[in-house]
Amino acid sequence: MKVLFATLNAQYIHSSLALACLNSYCQGEFADLHLMEYTINDNPRDILYSIFRIRPEVLCFSCYIWNIEAILNLCRDFKAIVPQCTIVLGGPEASFAADDLLQRYPQINIVVRGEGEQTTKELLQALSEGQALRGIAGISYREGLMVRHNEDRPPLTNLDIIPFPYEDLSAYQNRVVYYETSRGCPFGCSYCLSAADQGLRYFSLERVKHDLEILMHGDVREIKLVDRTFNSDEKRSRAIMSFIADNQPNCRFHFEICGDRLSDDMVDFLTTIPPGLFEFEIGVQSTHEPALQAIHRRQDWKRLQSNMERLKVAGNIHLHLDLIAGLPQEGYREFSHSFNQVYNLHPDMLQLGFLKLLKGSPLWEEADRHEYVRQAKAPYQVLANRYISYAELAHLQQVENLLNRYYNRGRFASTLDYMTSEVYEGKAFDFYSDLADFWEERELFSRGHRDREEYTILKDFVLNRHPDLKATVNEYLKYDYLKNFINHDLPPGLDCHNPPNRNEIQRQLLGDPSVITALSSWDDEETVPFTAGKKNLHLEYFLINPRAGKPVEEPLPLLFYYPDNRPPARVLVVSVQ
């Protein structure tokens, strides 16, 4: 019996841990297993033909909010071509909608509910041997005109029986590899499917170390641990992190952690991690206590704030913080306060997400109480509720666009720090909201923009809203641009204050041994040989000191050096005689 495990990932760089686990768990029992990962951006006709060429007798799809609609279309088309194929759906978007899917889509034969490894293995055994399906826990299926729901299957108690999921890592060299050391979550947030889980289960520490050693030597770029709260057990999480750091891998590790559950000792330990090795994603979601209570989420904001400030000072771990707009009890004004508090922690990335009402989550059942209006189809994003209007959420989506465009890409750090801290006095949300209004007035959201143009647009915004600041902001924008782009021609609208003999001065600086030494050895970075070229050096004069945020009596010369002809630049204040 030929079996195909398939899914559609959101992007090519992503991979499916669920399919890898199913495939490894069923290996040995079935000789003709296939695994295919597509993306939601692939041409549906190409996906259909790829599946047809494999000619599976059993086609198993892993379903999520980002791919369910495309998968249902594929099921219709493939069943029309190969009507004898048994189509099985699993994953969260199928598990909690089994009856509806089987009633509405005759192309679907079976739905696997909940944890899939043991259920899928028993199901495939029954299908291969022509046995009845009534004794298989954890499935719903069509039997004649009836839809039957077998009893739920309890989750696995010993996760170590699931084999290592990655048989061939060569296929993942340019993709994110996902891995889990536990299943479940210590929290019961009502918007999350984890609220339906029964406690926490762990792979053994010995098993985790064995698997990680294989992954660290597998020449992959990034390993993303999908544990819902990796530091739920601090002693265990520290042991795993120490193991990773001691092995000095060349890849990066991404963890989802709870920021207020880090002890002082744990933060001390984390400040010793080699720079660039770890990334932390921390779901703050909100700082508004009534909203946190409404979603049954416990959070110590002061503790989280203190921990983030310490990690930010250390600067060795990339910090990615999340907010969710549309939570119950949090209106527009309250959300703006949450935004300001989290933004002022200055994370490396701030993700503004929008609540999705997930089937199977407690909030899905409570939607009427909060007067939620949502999208009719997946991903079921909230459009309005009792506390925030559709117009306000639409404006927040514009803020999200600009936050990603200006803040999260890291190319406007000095300018944004000046605007949010000095001009808007710490109320960063007001800055992005004003900027969004400006973009909408100029109909800029409906057009594409090159990177250089974004600097010009921000300068135009200042000219329009804060004309008295145009000279100061010009210098910050100029500094940010030259630091992050090797093209020395300033974007339109940015003013230059260089003397006529700037090129001659730059040549003289290259003859100064102290300048060469300073550019070769930079802060704590590794010393690299200095090489001068036409593009990797640029001298620019400024009317302020953009690094210190202070005015200067005379134009300040800064020398920008781009090692290996790539930004970001090393910037040196030089003395010109």
Side-chain angles (χ1 to χ4, degrees):
M1 183 177 72
K2 183 177 289 189
V3 179
L4 173 60
F5 295 121
T7 196
L8 279 67
N9 298 319
Q11 300 178 36
Y12 171 77
I13 195 173
H14 297 169
S15 59
S16 174
L17 175 60
L19 288 194
C21 288
L22 289 174
N23 190 60
S24 66
Y25 196 82
C26 294
Q27 285 285 355
E29 297 289 333
F30 307 96
D32 208 358
L33 291 180
H34 300 258
L35 190 155
M36 292 295 296
E37 297 185 46
Y38 308 98
T39 80
I40 56 175
N41 300 311
D42 291 340
N43 189 314
R45 294 189 301 272
D46 295 338
I47 299 174
L48 183 66
Y49 183 61
S50 172
I51 296 172
F52 176 76
R53 290 184 62 191
I54 297 172
R55 288 178 168 78
E57 297 167 75
V58 180
L59 174 56
C60 304
F61 278 114
S62 185
C63 304
Y64 300 86
I65 55 174
W66 61 81
N67 66 19
I68 183 63
E69 297 300 328
I71 285 175
L72 291 174
N73 290 334
L74 285 168
C75 290
R76 291 191 196 98
D77 293 344
F78 192 75
K79 199 74 166 184
I81 300 168
V82 188
Q84 69 274 19
C85 178
T86 299
I87 295 182
V88 182
L89 301 189
E93 195 56 26
S95 290
F96 297 102
D99 189 74
D100 180 63
L101 289 170
L102 290 167
Q103 295 284 2
R104 293 174 57 199
Y105 300 95
Q107 301 86 3
I108 301 168
N109 300 99
I110 305 165
V111 172
V112 172
R113 307 190 315 267
E115 196 168 64
E117 287 88 357
Q118 195 169 355
T119 302
T120 302
K121 187 174 183 178
E122 291 182 16
L123 173 62
L124 295 181
Q125 288 171 336
L127 291 175
S128 66
E129 297 170 6
Q131 296 177 354
L133 303 181
R134 291 195 177 188
I136 302 174
I139 66 168
S140 299
Y141 59 99
R142 185 177 292 101
E143 189 175 77
L145 299 177
M146 298 289 294
V147 171
R148 298 193 178 276
H149 304 284
N150 292 356
E151 64 178 355
D152 291 339
R153 181 181 296 276
L156 292 170
T157 56
N158 179 15
L159 295 179
D160 283 358
I161 68 173
I162 303 173
F164 179 65
Y166 298 108
E167 185 179 20
D168 180 13
L169 282 170
S170 63
Y172 297 90
Q173 289 184 3
N174 295 314
R175 302 167 71 188
V176 177
V177 174
Y178 295 87
Y179 182 73
E180 59 185 348
T181 76
S182 66
R183 290 183 178 179
C185 183
F187 303 107
C189 302
S190 61
Y191 59 81
C192 182
L193 294 178
S194 296
D197 289 345
Q198 301 174 4
L200 269 166
R201 295 166 291 146
Y202 297 97
F203 288 84
S204 69
L205 201 54
E206 294 75 17
R207 163 65 189 275
V208 170
K209 290 180 178 180
H210 170 269
D211 291 355
L212 289 177
E213 194 161 17
I214 297 173
L215 291 172
M216 286 188 288
H217 292 91
D219 195 26
V220 297
R221 185 174 67 180
E222 181 177 357
I223 299 169
K224 187 169 185 176
L225 280 80
V226 297
D227 304 53
R228 294 177 178 102
T229 306
F230 180 76
N231 61 322
S232 57
D233 181 332
E234 185 166 284
K235 181 179 178 181
R236 183 176 184 274
S237 63
R238 179 166 176 170
I240 295 172
M241 288 177 167
S242 294
F243 177 77
I244 293 170
D246 290 344
N247 275 269
Q248 300 179 337
N250 293 322
C251 55
R252 182 172 62 244
F253 280 80
H254 181 106
F255 303 89
E256 294 185 23
I257 70 162
C258 182
D260 60 330
R261 289 176 68 112
L262 297 172
S263 68
D264 289 338
D265 286 344
M266 186 65 166
V267 176
D268 288 340
F269 160 73
L270 290 172
T271 61
T272 69
I273 295 298
L277 179 59
F278 288 174
E279 290 185 352
F280 285 173
E281 183 171 353
I282 300 166
V284 181
Q285 319 311 13
S286 173
T287 65
H288 186 53
E289 189 58 34
L292 295 173
Q293 292 178 5
I295 60 174
H296 310 293
R297 183 178 180 85
R298 303 183 306 276
Q299 184 166 274
D300 183 342
W301 166 248
K302 289 185 178 179
R303 180 73 186 180
L304 189 153
Q305 183 180 30
S306 173
N307 288 340
M308 294 305 98
E309 288 171 349
R310 290 183 61 193
L311 290 176
K312 185 65 179 177
V313 169
N316 59 323
I317 295 175
H318 182 278
L319 300 175
H320 172 147
L321 304 187
D322 297 332
L323 284 170
I324 297 178
L327 293 174
Q329 301 292 340
E330 185 168 61
Y332 183 84
R333 182 175 61 85
E334 292 81 11
F335 179 82
S336 70
H337 182 66
S338 291
F339 183 100
N340 287 335
Q341 286 189 290
V342 176
Y343 187 96
N344 288 333
L345 294 177
H346 305 292
D348 298 290
M349 181 172 183
L350 174 54
Q351 181 175 325
L352 198 176
F354 293 83
L355 180 66
K356 279 84 173 171
L357 290 181
L358 303 178
K359 295 177 181 178
S361 69
L363 200 54
W364 176 276
E365 304 299 328
E366 301 168 6
D368 290 343
R369 179 152 61 91
H370 299 291
E371 300 176 14
Y372 271 110
V373 180
R374 60 167 176 83
Q375 293 173 325
K377 294 184 177 182
Y380 317 112
Q381 183 166 307
V382 166
L383 302 175
N385 62 25
R386 183 191 298 177
Y387 319 97
I388 192 167
S389 69
Y390 171 72
E392 290 168 333
L393 282 172
H395 183 70
L396 290 182
Q397 288 186 302
Q398 295 177 332
V399 170
E400 179 211 14
N401 180 306
L402 299 177
L403 185 70
N404 290 334
R405 188 183 295 269
Y406 284 100
Y407 182 85
N408 287 332
R409 294 167 74 184
R411 295 174 175 173
F412 296 83
S414 299
T415 307
L416 294 179
D417 185 60
Y418 172 72
M419 293 298 297
T420 58
S421 299
E422 301 294 330
V423 181
Y424 284 82
E425 299 178 333
K427 296 180 180 179
F429 183 83
D430 291 351
F431 163 71
Y432 287 99
S433 180
D434 286 353
L435 184 59
D437 287 339
F438 177 80
W439 272 62
E440 186 171 21
E441 292 165 9
R442 302 294 177 92
E443 298 183 348
L444 297 171
F445 286 112
S446 60
R447 306 201 303 266
H449 304 282
R450 297 189 178 188
D451 294 333
R452 286 167 52 85
E453 191 178 356
E454 292 171 355
Y455 291 82
T456 302
I457 293 172
L458 194 50
K459 175 73 177 293
D460 290 343
F461 164 76
V462 172
L463 287 172
N464 183 271
R465 297 295 205 269
H466 309 278
D468 54 321
L469 303 177
K470 62 180 181 179
T472 300
V473 173
N474 181 87
E475 302 306 285
Y476 282 114
L477 284 170
K478 190 166 59 173
Y479 177 80
D480 284 332
Y481 178 78
L482 291 172
K483 186 173 172 114
N484 291 286
F485 291 90
I486 201 167
N487 181 355
H488 307 143
D489 294 329
L490 295 177
L494 297 192
D495 299 326
C496 180
H497 309 290
N498 293 332
N501 61 337
R502 185 199 67 86
N503 290 337
E504 180 181 345
I505 295 172
Q506 180 170 312
R507 283 194 295 269
Q508 291 175 358
L509 289 171
L510 291 179
D512 186 340
S514 64
V515 171
I516 305 303
T517 300
L519 293 176
S520 300
S521 181
W522 194 255
D523 295 335
D524 296 328
E525 297 180 23
E526 181 181 356
T527 300
V528 294
F530 173 80
T531 55
K534 291 183 178 179
K535 291 186 177 182
N536 69 346
L537 277 171
H538 179 75
L539 181 66
E540 187 76 24
Y541 282 72
F542 291 80
L543 300 184
I544 64 169
N545 185 338
R547 302 200 302 175
K550 297 179 180 179
V552 292
E553 294 182 1
E554 297 181 354
L556 178 70
L558 297 182
L559 187 61
F560 293 78
Y561 172 51
Y562 308 87
D564 300 322
N565 289 321
R566 290 197 300 267
R570 296 178 175 183
V571 185
L572 183 67
V573 178
V574 292
S575 176
V576 177
Q577 302 300 325

